[in-house]
Amino acid sequence: ASIAKGIDPDSINDDDDSQYAGKVLMATVKGDVHDIGKNIVAVVLGCNNFKVYDIGVMVTCDVIIEKALEYNVDVVGLSGLITPSLDEMVDVAKQFKKQGLKQPILIG
């Protein structure tokens, strides 16, 4: 897209995220390795001009919070397939509230 606009790709600052519609952190929660849904959502968001930070599978609550703060994301997407993942997602949401984080959490 940059080249089409006449912009040299080497001149773009990788830390400049102002051209994105928003920033989204995606993670499969601790205890789950199923990530196909997360991957599909990440691709769809990326195709719609969102910067997606995919931090992988089996991600602990502490890491999710750490990365949400580090990347200053607008939304956090939590993924999981197995039933215990739901409990982990609830725990993550409770920790967000406890720590005063205001980002919406997308559960899937």
Side-chain angles (χ1 to χ4, degrees), residues 7-8 12 27-28 33 36-37 39 56 62 68-69 72 84 89-90 96:
I7 299 171
D8 179 0
I12 296 173
T28 299
V33 297
I36 189 151
N39 294 343
D62 292 339
L69 293 170
N72 191 29
M89 291 178 197
V90 170
F96 264 62

Side-chain angles (χ1 to χ4, degrees), residues 4 6-7 26 54 61 66 71 73 108:
I7 299 171
M26 299 293 293
D54 185 343
C61 178
E66 173 190 327
Y71 298 136
V73 295

Side-chain angles (χ1 to χ4, degrees), residues 5 12 17 37 43 47 50 57 66-67 72 84 87 90 94 96 105:
K5 294 179 184 175
I12 296 173
D17 52 23
V43 167
C47 289
F50 284 85
V57 299
E66 173 190 327
K67 294 299 181 182
N72 191 29
D87 294 332
V90 170
K94 286 179 180 177
F96 264 62
I105 299 176

